[in-house]
Amino acid sequence: MFDDETFLKKVLLFKNLPHDQLKKILEISEKKVFRKGQTIFTEGDPADGIYVLREGKVKVFKLSLDGKEQVLHFIGEGGVFGEVAVFLGEPFPASAEAQSESTVLFIPRSSFFDLLKNDPTISMNMLALLSLRLKEFVHLIDTISLKDVSQRVSTYLLFIAEKKDNIVDLRIKKSELASFLGTIPETLSRVLTKMVKTGLIKMEGARIEITNPEELKRIAIGEKSLFL
Amino acid sequence: MFDDETFLKKVLLFKNLPHDQLKKILEISEKKVFRKGQTIFTEGDPADGIYVLREGKVKVFKLSLDGKEQVLHFIGEGGVFGEVAVFLGEPFPASAEAQSESTVLFIPRSSFFDLLKNDPTISMNMLALLSLRLKEFVHLIDTISLKDVSQRVSTYLLFIAEKKDNIVDLRIKKSELASFLGTIPETLSRVLTKMVKTGLIKMEGARIEITNPEELKRIAIGEKSLFL
DNA sequence: CGCATGATTGACAGCAGTCAAGATGTGTGG
DNA sequence: CCACACATCTTGACTGCTGTCAATCATGCG
C-alpha cells in the first residue's frame, strides 16, 4: 500500500506533476468509501466532479428501461471516471457502481477546472486520457456491432491472455463479462462450453487456459472454423 | 461562402482564438480536395495529422473482414476528424471517406502539437470536443446494444426532427443511415414501411414527416406499442 | 433510352435472447 | 466444520428478431 502522493504519481492523469501540485490535488480532493454493490452515481445525476479510484473495482454502465445492462468500462485502481460529464457541464450519461469495497478520491468540478487552468500538463494528460477512452469505445462499438458472440469472446480472451502465457484469470463475474461483451450470461456460458468441448480452451471456474490459440485467433477475426 | 478565416472562427476547435493565431493555423494547414466516394484515410494508416472539414460531407466508419460497415459518425462542415489517433501516436482506428466532393484542411501532427503547447485555449476546446465525441459514442453504444431496430429508428427520427416541425430530411442515403444505426438497408426499409402503414410517419423518398410523435416516442423508449 | 445505383419486398435461416429448471459455488452463522 | 441460504452459473426447449439471398421496383444521369 502506498501513501496518497505515491498513489497519485501512478495515475495517468497526474503524471509528471511536481510535488506541490500533487499536494494541492490531495488537499482539494475528498476521500469517499463505497461498499460492494453500492451506487457511486446514476445516469442523469448532475456531474459535480471527477472520481479517481484509489482502491477497489468500479464498473461504469448503461441501463435500458427493461433492465438490460451494457458495461462501458471497468475501472481499475488509478482509473478515472465521471470526467466527460464534468467537461460538458451535463448530467452523467451513465451510471457507476462499486464492484467491491472501493475508495475514491473525489475532485469537485470547480477545483478541477482550477487545476486545468493552472497546469498545462494536466490538460495534456487529460487529452491523452480521453483519446484512450475514445479508442476503447471505437473498439467496443466495433465488437458489438460487427462481431458475433463467439468472435467477441475469442477476441476478449486473447486480449486478456496476451503476455500471460495463455492464462486468463477473469477478475469479474461472468455475468458482468457478458454485459461488457453486449450479450447475456446464458449465451456466454454456451459459447465457453462449446469452446471447452472443441478443445480450444480449458476452464476451471474463473480460470481459463487457452489451449489452441491459433484456432481461437482464427475465430476472433471471423474466419470460419470447424471448431464451432 | 466565407473566406478561410471566417470559416475557422466557426470551428469549435478554434473558437475564441485571436486573429494572428487563426492566421498561423491557416499557414500551417494544407488544403486537400477529395471527390465523392474517395478515401481520405483507411484504418491502420499512420496518423500524420488532423483534418478539419471545410466543405462537403465525410463519414468515419469501421469495416469488418466480411464487408459489414458500422458508421461511427458523420462529419459536417466545420467538423474535425482523425484527432484521436494523432494524440495517441497510433494508426487510425477507423476509416474516413468523402460522401460528396469535399475540401479539408489538413494540419500535420507536429504543427498541431505546437499549436496546443502554445495556446491553452485550443487545449480546452479540444477537451470539449473529445468529451462531446465520447458522449456521442456512449449514446451509440447504448443504441446498438440495448435497443431493437424500431427503437433505434424512432429515436433517430425524433432526434433529427427536434425543433423542425416533425419533418426529417435525410441528408444521407438510407443505406448509410442503416449502417449508422447498426443494421442493414433491408431491415431499415421494413421498419420504415411498417411505420408508414401504421400511420406513425409519412415518407416521400428522403423526406419523412412524423405524424404521430407521441406514439413514436413511446416506441423509442421501449414501451410496448400496438402500432408495431 | 438504358444503365447504374439505391430502395423495397419476399422467402427463409439462424443466432442469440427468453423463460424456466437444475447444478454449482460461496459465504455466513450455528 | 458443517449446513443452509443465496448468488451465480449452466443447461434445455423454444421463440423471434434480424440478417441473408435474390428478385423487382424506383430514381437519376449520361
Side-chain angles (χ1 to χ4, degrees):
Chain A
M1 186 50 51
F2 315 103
D3 66 273
D4 286 339
E5 188 173 328
T6 311
F7 165 74
L8 274 194
K9 279 186 190 164
K10 301 178 61 177
V11 174
L12 217 71
L13 181 55
F14 301 122
K15 221 172 56 176
N16 300 327
L17 290 188
H19 170 71
D20 57 336
Q21 191 67 288
L22 290 173
K23 238 184 140 182
K24 196 175 156 198
I25 293 173
L26 286 175
E27 275 166 28
I28 62 176
S29 67
E30 188 184 331
K31 211 175 265 189
K32 296 186 181 183
V33 177
F34 296 89
R35 265 164 306 167
K36 178 174 175 175
Q38 203 177 344
T39 297
I40 299 175
F41 55 76
T42 302
E43 177 177 351
D45 286 355
D48 44 359
I50 73 163
Y51 296 78
V52 182
L53 183 56
R54 173 68 215 261
E55 202 184 340
K57 289 193 294 179
V58 168
K59 70 171 172 186
V60 178
F61 60 99
K62 273 273 198 182
L63 277 183
S64 71
L65 281 186
D66 55 333
K68 271 183 298 182
E69 171 189 294
Q70 171 66 50
V71 170
L72 297 175
H73 34 245
F74 296 110
I75 309 289
E77 287 168 19
V80 175
F81 58 105
E83 73 291 331
V84 171
V86 168
F87 274 113
L88 294 174
E90 294 178 7
F92 289 116
S95 308
E97 180 186 309
Q99 295 182 281
S100 61
E101 169 109 2
S102 296
T103 307
V104 302
L105 299 179
F106 173 76
I107 305 177
R109 185 181 156 78
S110 59
S111 312
F112 181 62
F113 277 124
D114 286 344
L115 282 178
L116 275 181
K117 249 177 266 170
N118 299 325
D119 195 329
T121 304
I122 298 189
S123 300
M124 292 307 282
N125 288 346
M126 196 72 201
L127 285 171
L129 183 69
L130 293 182
S131 298
L132 201 60
R133 280 227 191 306
L134 277 165
K135 194 184 81 165
E136 286 168 6
F137 275 163
V138 167
H139 184 249
L140 184 55
I141 292 168
D142 180 55
T143 298
I144 293 175
S145 173
L146 301 174
K147 298 173 196 266
D148 63 31
V149 177
S150 295
Q151 286 177 267
R152 298 178 211 171
V153 174
S154 308
T155 306
Y156 182 82
L157 291 179
L158 289 167
F159 175 70
I160 299 296
E162 225 182 3
K163 298 168 191 166
K164 283 194 184 157
D165 221 22
N166 284 331
I167 301 291
V168 177
D169 238 319
L170 299 178
R171 285 161 15 211
I172 52 176
K173 283 183 285 194
K174 281 179 184 171
S175 58
E176 279 173 336
L177 174 58
S179 165
F180 178 60
L181 295 177
T183 184
I184 54 172
E186 291 95 320
T187 300
L188 174 61
S189 182
R190 278 184 250 272
V191 167
L192 286 174
T193 302
K194 207 168 202 173
M195 286 179 173
V196 170
K197 280 182 184 160
T198 52
L200 291 166
I201 61 173
K202 285 180 186 169
M203 178 165 61
E204 295 159 20
R207 185 184 175 281
I208 293 173
E209 183 187 347
I210 301 175
T211 47
N212 191 342
E214 290 76 23
E215 194 61 29
L216 204 63
K217 219 163 289 177
R218 235 162 271 142
I219 294 172
I221 62 175
E223 279 183 21
K224 287 171 181 50
S225 167
L226 299 173
F227 285 69
L228 284 187
Chain B
M1 184 49 50
F2 316 101
D3 66 89
D4 285 338
E5 189 173 329
T6 311
F7 165 75
L8 273 195
K9 279 186 190 164
K10 302 180 58 177
V11 175
L12 215 72
L13 182 56
F14 300 123
K15 220 172 55 177
N16 301 326
L17 289 188
H19 170 71
D20 57 335
Q21 190 67 289
L22 290 171
K23 238 183 139 181
K24 196 176 157 198
I25 293 174
L26 285 175
E27 275 167 28
I28 61 175
S29 69
E30 188 184 331
K31 211 174 268 190
K32 295 186 181 184
V33 177
F34 296 89
R35 265 164 306 168
K36 179 176 174 173
Q38 202 176 345
T39 297
I40 298 173
F41 55 76
T42 301
E43 179 178 349
D45 286 354
D48 43 0
I50 72 162
Y51 296 79
V52 182
L53 183 55
R54 174 67 214 262
E55 203 184 340
K57 289 193 295 180
V58 168
K59 70 172 173 187
V60 179
F61 59 99
K62 271 272 196 182
L63 278 183
S64 71
L65 281 186
D66 55 334
K68 271 183 298 183
E69 171 189 293
Q70 170 67 50
V71 171
L72 297 175
H73 33 246
F74 297 110
I75 308 289
E77 288 168 18
V80 176
F81 57 105
E83 74 290 331
V84 172
V86 168
F87 273 112
L88 294 174
E90 294 179 8
F92 290 116
S95 307
E97 181 185 307
Q99 294 183 282
S100 61
E101 169 109 3
S102 297
T103 308
V104 301
L105 299 180
F106 173 77
I107 304 176
R109 184 180 155 79
S110 59
S111 312
F112 181 62
F113 278 124
D114 287 342
L115 282 178
L116 275 182
K117 250 176 265 170
N118 300 325
D119 194 328
T121 305
I122 298 188
S123 300
M124 291 307 282
N125 288 344
M126 197 71 202
L127 285 172
L129 183 71
L130 293 182
S131 298
L132 200 62
R133 279 230 190 305
L134 277 165
K135 192 184 81 162
E136 287 168 5
F137 275 164
V138 168
H139 185 247
L140 184 57
I141 292 167
D142 180 54
T143 298
I144 294 175
S145 172
L146 301 175
K147 297 171 195 268
D148 63 31
V149 177
S150 295
Q151 287 176 265
R152 296 178 213 172
V153 174
S154 308
T155 306
Y156 182 82
L157 292 179
L158 290 166
F159 175 70
I160 297 297
E162 225 182 3
K163 298 168 190 169
K164 282 194 184 159
D165 220 23
N166 284 330
I167 302 291
V168 176
D169 237 319
L170 300 177
R171 285 161 18 213
I172 51 175
K173 283 182 285 193
K174 283 178 182 169
S175 56
E176 279 174 335
L177 174 57
S179 165
F180 178 59
L181 295 177
T183 183
I184 55 170
E186 292 94 320
T187 300
L188 174 62
S189 183
R190 277 184 250 271
V191 168
L192 286 173
T193 301
K194 210 168 200 173
M195 286 178 173
V196 170
K197 280 181 184 160
T198 52
L200 291 166
I201 62 173
K202 284 180 184 169
M203 180 165 60
E204 294 159 20
R207 184 185 175 282
I208 293 173
E209 184 188 345
I210 301 175
T211 47
N212 191 343
E214 290 76 23
E215 194 61 29
L216 203 64
K217 219 162 290 177
R218 237 162 268 139
I219 294 172
I221 62 175
E223 280 183 21
K224 285 170 182 52
S225 167
L226 300 172
F227 285 69
L228 283 187

